[in-house]
Amino acid sequence: MKTLPFLRRLALFLVIPIAALLAILFRADGSTDEYYLRFTTPPATSLVLGTSRAAQGIQPHVLDSVLAEAGIHVQTMNYAFSMGLSQYGPTYLNSVRKKLAPSARNGVFVLAVDPWSLSATRVRGRIEFEESANFLAKMDLVNMHPNIEYLLTVYPKPLLGILVPDPRANDKRLLLHEDGWLEVSVPMDPASVAHRRTEKLAEYRNERLPNAVPSNARIGALLMTIDLLKPHGRVLLVRLPVSDAMLEMENELMPHFNRLIDLIARHEQVDQLDLSANGDAWTYTDLHHLYTADGARVTAMIARKLGESPPAVRGVVGHDRYPMLLGTERSHPAFTVLERGSR
Amino acid sequence: MLFNSLDFAIFLPLVFLGYWFVFRRRRSQNVFLLVASYVFYGWWDPRFLGLIVLSSLVDYIVGLRLHATGSARIRRGLLWTSIIANLGILGTFKYFNFFAGNLEGLFSLFGRPLALTHLDIVLPVGISFYTFQTMSYTIDVYRRQLEPAKDIVEFFAYVSFFPQLVAGPIERAINLLPQFQRDRSFDRAKAVDGLRQILWGLFKKVVIADNAATLADPIFDHYELHGGSTLLFAAVLFSFQIYCDFSGYSDIALGTARLFGFDLMQNFAFPYFSRDIAEFWRRWHISLSTWFRDYLYIPLGGSRGGLALSIRNTLIVFLVSGFWHGANWTFVAWGALHALFFLPLLISGRNRRHVAAPVGNSGLPSARELVGMLFTFGCVVIAWVFFRSANVEEAIDLLVRMCSPSLFSVPDQFSKQYITLLIFFLVVEWSGRHGSYGLQHIGARWRSWARWTLYYGVLFLIFRFTGQGHEFIYFQF
């Protein structure tokens, strides 16, 4: 058979590339990018969900240690990503489903909520859910180490850069920890902070706010996410602190946001924690991302809330009682998908 | 399934091993290839497998019936059955909304608004390719140039052969079907050549095409913010993107087919080294150009009816060829522009001046040849602007902005690294222009360690400079 010598020679040729590939795969770590490590850990029994605010602001190691002091022993994974990727919706929900350990019991689940994470974007007159075309929607394997699927099909930069980092790209500002916390180290002198703050403000005021539309589909997805997590432990809805300027825009976007979250929390019989008051008392790296030290303080507050006794069963509100849930986009495909789901 | 995906990297070795080690008889190999091809296609969306089966079934039955009957009337009816079925599928999925939209526009122009139904459907990947492939089979059987396939597996495997199913080459039954009908034995030299072609195709796709897209897309998306020289740079980038994307796919298709003992037709022959537009069209997307020549241009009368008829037929072929690419006036404009470039050569009888490979065996092109190549490339680049733009108005606006005084300024977007990679690519292509693909003969006489070093070098470049993944452009056609 002439095929065997061919395969032997091919295997010999491939030894070096495969060895290089393996070296790359095993070299990838928290400095590779701001997402990779989250897809390499085992299925999680406790989770932090949300967008970049939660990714940077909620530190699982702080959460776990404060809870441990209260006698609650959990190992939390921060599975929050960013706007355009992990706003509540079918894409994120499916990914959370894959990340959640089916056997999880008595876990804690911190769901960071804000008007942006419950809004869709209007692009040329059409309502769009950006994340549906993003990699999170396509990823099947989220608990694999090394995560070949991510590195070979999602990772946007040349693979060799993982093994031999480009000396010109001296960007050490982002470090993703194994527990999913994204540590951001940027200059915190007043001028740098002011510069980033101005840029963010312009971005949100001029680009995001005019095109953001509160979304029933996203609210529905949040409800489904809570339903998914409740059997596995305690769920807490958290509104993280933001600067007053950001809060002002959020109030423009969804004036009744706190009421909505309150209704959801009552209906779902989960706790909530609103930390949006006195926003300017906290330190941010820009307009709304908490600085490391304050992130730890906020995380400790969240942990203490979780450490309290479970919420009492209060008046249950039916879904038809959400006044701001009924709106314009019930017919949107994303919402149809949700309605076809388990709910 | 994409050729540059993890799925395919697992799929191909499995199919290769099954094909040569498990299913060693011809018929079982054909069945295995058919199943593998359907898995390959169904990986994207299994619902659309039904269309391939339907198209294959219609042409299989029509082929047999054509052979069985001698009646000219019935034969014509059968031929039209196949054409209507295939073009019906194509028209519904690809062109329905285009025609409905244009009809509505036309009626509102005359003050009679019309509201037609628009279909909310996805364009099935590769539909333009496999419908043309099955149609060519039926037409060849009708013309008695080909015996119909008796074995349904052979025919279905021919239509759906996974290396060329979704983006060609559009294989003629005369070439490919007999290869399913004879025993195949493993040919080491062919397999090695296939792997080399896959390697070069991957380089073209993931290094040259994808990086060009990353640079060109933002410029095209906000073209109004850039000066003429930057727009020209983007248009040149897109020219290399589309060439390397499509010919890279073809290289991987041809190389993959060779691993299984099949020879597919060459689809590209270094078109950017063409010295005039006529030569370009003999070197670009050869399987489609020859399809239109054999099944449209010649039946229309070709060049037999004098110059006027020849001009008319050429114009029709270019317009239809443009329209084949997509339901948008930009593609029609692209075809019309190429016709405009081509017709002067046809009228002056100079359309067959350059038939052989460029520049014999001498190292570099002569000044005259170089001018011809640059002029031809310039024409092609202008036409690609229409191909890339969202609509004709945008393309014209972009070209007007390009031809402004800022054309002579320094581009505000530039990448030395990409230009270096492009130069490497062009040097390899130029050195290999007498072969079927750039890398084919380079290092053929070297010692194996030197040759391996070259291939490792190309692999290194792929790992080092892989661009952001983009789908193959021709999937949408």
Side-chain angles (χ1 to χ4, degrees):
Chain A
M1 186 82 185
K2 287 179 277 182
T3 326
L4 281 174
F6 166 77
L7 286 178
R8 270 198 292 272
R9 208 164 160 77
L10 178 62
L12 190 67
F13 176 79
L14 289 177
V15 165
I16 293 177
I18 288 173
L21 188 62
L22 287 174
I24 289 167
L25 294 179
F26 283 98
R27 170 71 184 79
D29 59 15
S31 61
T32 299
D33 72 2
E34 62 268 46
Y35 305 128
Y36 173 65
L37 268 195
R38 295 199 186 98
F39 300 116
T40 62
T41 51
T45 50
S46 293
L47 285 165
V48 172
L49 305 182
T51 54
S52 59
R53 278 182 204 174
Q56 296 176 37
I58 302 179
Q59 303 172 18
H61 63 280
V62 176
L63 194 80
D64 294 352
S65 62
V66 175
L67 281 171
E69 286 168 17
I72 300 169
H73 298 280
V74 292
Q75 197 171 1
T76 312
M77 173 75 202
N78 190 326
Y79 201 61
F81 296 88
S82 60
M83 286 271 285
L85 203 58
S86 60
Q87 288 153 290
Y88 294 100
T91 300
Y92 194 32
L93 176 61
N94 284 336
S95 193
V96 171
R97 246 188 217 122
K98 290 173 196 159
K99 192 67 195 175
L100 178 67
S103 59
R105 293 288 175 273
N106 302 319
V108 295
F109 300 97
V110 180
L111 276 61
V113 287
D114 58 65
W116 309 103
S117 67
L118 296 178
S119 296
T121 312
R122 188 184 290 123
V123 180
R124 294 185 192 96
R126 289 182 54 179
I127 303 292
E128 289 201 353
F129 296 83
E130 299 169 64
E131 75 277 14
S132 58
N134 224 319
F135 71 85
L136 207 60
K138 295 169 194 157
M139 275 198 70
D140 289 320
L141 309 169
V142 299
N143 308 304
M144 182 189 196
H145 182 70
N147 196 314
I148 298 169
E149 185 188 22
Y150 184 89
L151 291 173
L152 297 188
T153 66
V154 172
Y155 187 61
K157 295 178 223 164
L159 282 177
L160 210 64
I162 295 173
L163 203 60
V164 190
D166 187 346
R168 288 168 299 175
N170 190 25
D171 189 352
K172 301 284 183 199
R173 293 180 303 169
L174 303 179
L175 180 65
L176 187 61
H177 292 254
E178 284 206 13
D179 59 12
W181 171 47
L182 180 64
E183 184 178 0
V184 178
S185 310
V186 288
M188 286 303 288
D189 59 281
S192 301
V193 175
H195 175 68
R196 287 193 296 270
R197 195 183 148 92
T198 311
E199 276 189 343
K200 253 324 176 221
L201 189 61
E203 178 197 333
Y204 272 79
R205 174 61 68 189
N206 303 330
E207 293 167 33
R208 289 196 188 270
L209 186 60
N211 298 311
V213 183
S215 163
N216 283 333
R218 294 211 186 282
I219 297 168
L222 173 64
L223 294 171
M224 289 182 69
T225 308
I226 297 169
D227 283 352
L228 170 74
L229 299 173
K230 268 199 309 187
H232 299 278
R234 191 153 175 207
V235 176
L236 176 68
L237 303 180
V238 177
R239 187 173 191 182
L240 290 170
V242 289
S243 65
D244 289 345
M246 175 58 90
L247 188 64
E248 192 184 310
M249 283 189 282
E250 293 188 354
N251 287 337
E252 282 178 47
L253 178 58
M254 286 179 82
H256 307 294
F257 181 76
N258 284 347
R259 201 175 144 216
L260 171 69
I261 296 301
D262 185 51
L263 283 167
I264 290 174
R266 283 170 60 197
H267 173 259
E268 296 289 334
Q269 297 167 35
V270 296
D271 258 328
Q272 58 158 320
L273 180 62
D274 178 16
L275 299 170
S276 63
N278 295 322
D280 279 347
W282 303 90
T283 311
Y284 307 93
T285 56
D286 48 27
L287 202 64
H288 60 143
H289 291 108
L290 283 162
Y291 181 56
T292 309
D294 279 1
R297 282 172 55 208
V298 164
T299 307
M301 290 169 73
I302 293 170
R304 280 195 285 277
K305 178 74 179 174
L306 282 166
E308 290 173 4
S309 58
V313 177
R314 289 173 293 195
V316 174
V317 183
H319 282 186
D320 55 341
R321 297 283 309 279
Y322 295 122
M324 46 300 263
L325 208 155
L326 305 171
T328 52
E329 35 158 67
R330 264 208 178 275
S331 59
H332 193 280
F335 198 64
T336 317
V337 169
L338 286 167
E339 286 180 330
R340 269 195 263 117
S342 61
R343 198 167 178 84
Chain B
M1 205 180 287
L2 293 173
F3 279 163
N4 55 337
S5 70
L6 183 59
D7 301 334
F8 188 70
I10 296 166
F11 172 86
L12 181 59
L14 289 179
V15 177
F16 180 85
L17 293 175
Y19 181 82
W20 290 116
F21 288 97
V22 182
F23 304 98
R24 298 165 75 161
R25 289 176 182 278
R26 176 171 35 110
R27 188 167 165 78
S28 59
Q29 282 183 330
N30 286 344
V31 172
F32 182 60
L33 277 183
L34 177 61
V35 172
S37 298
Y38 282 176
V39 169
F40 176 87
Y41 191 81
W43 210 254
W44 166 67
D45 193 333
R47 288 174 303 170
F48 292 114
L49 274 174
L51 287 178
I52 297 182
V53 173
L54 178 69
S55 180
S56 308
L57 197 63
V58 166
D59 285 282
Y60 174 71
I61 294 168
V62 165
L64 288 177
R65 301 283 301 139
L66 276 172
H67 189 64
T69 181
S71 157
R73 193 175 57 82
I74 295 174
R75 285 172 60 79
R76 250 196 318 277
L78 286 166
L79 176 68
W80 278 107
T81 304
S82 162
I83 291 173
I84 290 168
N86 282 300
L87 291 185
I89 293 173
L90 193 60
T92 307
F93 282 88
K94 191 165 177 175
Y95 298 107
F96 185 89
N97 288 344
F98 173 79
F99 283 118
N102 278 283
L103 209 59
E104 284 172 349
L106 198 66
F107 270 76
S108 15
L109 210 64
F110 293 104
R112 297 236 173 210
L114 187 70
L116 295 172
T117 308
H118 284 249
L119 301 178
D120 186 17
I121 45 175
V122 182
L123 180 66
V125 169
I127 190 168
S128 307
F129 291 92
Y130 67 75
T131 48
F132 268 46
Q133 185 156 313
T134 52
M135 270 163 56
S136 75
Y137 162 81
T138 306
I139 297 169
D140 285 350
V141 174
Y142 174 79
R143 290 172 174 174
R144 299 188 200 280
Q145 291 171 346
L146 178 73
E147 286 283 308
K150 306 274 191 310
D151 185 329
I152 193 166
V153 172
E154 283 169 2
F155 182 72
F156 274 52
Y158 149 72
V159 175
S160 62
F161 187 41
F162 75 87
Q164 46 85 239
L165 173 59
V166 291
I170 303 167
E171 275 296 332
R172 307 298 177 76
I174 281 176
N175 175 44
L176 188 54
L177 195 54
Q179 297 185 56
F180 280 97
Q181 292 167 336
R182 59 174 176 252
D183 290 337
R184 298 170 291 268
S185 57
F186 183 78
D187 180 337
R188 186 181 169 276
K190 196 187 257 191
V192 169
D193 194 44
L195 285 177
R196 193 166 32 229
Q197 193 161 8
I198 290 173
L199 178 69
W200 189 237
L202 267 178
F203 173 81
K204 283 157 91 173
K205 165 63 183 160
V206 303
V207 177
I208 303 297
D210 286 354
N211 279 307
T214 304
L215 291 166
D217 284 351
I219 303 174
F220 273 103
D221 290 347
H222 302 285
Y223 71 91
E224 66 281 0
L225 304 177
H226 300 282
S229 57
T230 310
L231 294 176
L232 178 63
F233 179 58
V236 170
L237 285 173
F238 179 71
S239 306
F240 282 103
Q241 179 197 345
I242 194 160
Y243 169 55
C244 290
D245 187 286
F246 192 19
S247 72
Y249 185 94
S250 290
D251 281 337
I252 300 171
L254 267 76
T256 304
R258 305 202 90 194
L259 291 177
F260 296 92
F262 289 87
D263 288 309
L264 302 181
M265 71 181 293
Q266 189 182 5
N267 214 14
F268 291 88
F270 313 99
Y272 288 166
F273 297 143
S274 303
R275 289 150 289 185
D276 59 39
I277 281 290
E279 187 184 14
F280 174 82
W281 277 103
R282 282 191 293 276
R283 296 178 174 281
W284 178 272
H285 203 175
I286 299 164
S287 65
L288 182 70
S289 319
T290 51
W291 197 101
F292 279 123
R293 181 196 65 200
D294 295 344
Y295 302 109
L296 185 63
Y297 182 73
I298 292 174
L300 283 171
S303 55
R304 291 186 303 257
L307 188 61
L309 203 65
S310 189
I311 290 171
R312 184 204 72 175
N313 295 341
T314 303
L315 203 57
I316 290 173
V317 166
F318 272 109
L319 293 177
V320 173
S321 168
F323 198 51
W324 175 90
H325 285 84
N328 192 325
W329 288 109
T330 51
F331 297 116
V332 180
W334 172 77
L337 211 51
H338 270 282
L340 203 67
F341 297 145
F342 183 87
L343 286 176
L345 293 172
L346 179 74
I347 292 164
S348 60
R350 295 157 67 123
N351 57 318
R352 299 198 63 80
R353 271 189 312 168
H354 303 297
V355 206
V359 216
N361 279 316
S362 62
L364 293 168
S366 65
R368 187 189 172 89
E369 284 171 326
L370 190 63
V371 169
M373 285 179 199
L374 288 174
F375 180 75
T376 308
F377 183 68
C379 294
V380 172
V381 168
I382 291 169
W384 284 136
V385 170
F386 284 85
F387 202 93
R388 174 64 177 76
S389 297
N391 52 57
V392 175
E393 295 77 27
E394 185 183 301
I396 293 169
D397 189 29
L398 194 149
L399 284 171
V400 168
R401 286 168 189 270
M402 190 192 287
C403 300
S404 63
S406 60
L407 182 61
F408 304 100
S409 62
V410 178
D412 54 42
Q413 306 278 321
F414 199 72
S415 167
K416 279 185 197 161
Q417 186 186 73
Y418 185 76
I419 298 298
T420 312
L421 288 168
L422 198 56
I423 290 169
F424 167 78
F425 162 73
L426 286 172
V427 167
V428 173
E429 288 267 292
W430 178 257
S431 312
R433 68 193 181 280
H434 298 295
S436 304
Y437 58 94
L439 203 59
Q440 187 173 29
H441 297 309
I442 296 178
R445 293 181 186 169
W446 297 358
R447 288 177 177 277
S448 58
W449 66 263
R451 219 168 36 243
W452 280 30
T453 308
L454 171 70
Y455 303 148
Y456 279 138
V458 176
L459 264 179
F460 172 82
L461 292 175
I462 289 173
F463 274 116
R464 178 66 187 84
F465 296 106
T466 302
Q468 282 182 21
H470 293 264
E471 276 210 347
F472 287 95
I473 295 174
Y474 266 69
F475 272 23
Q476 61 189 291
F477 306 136

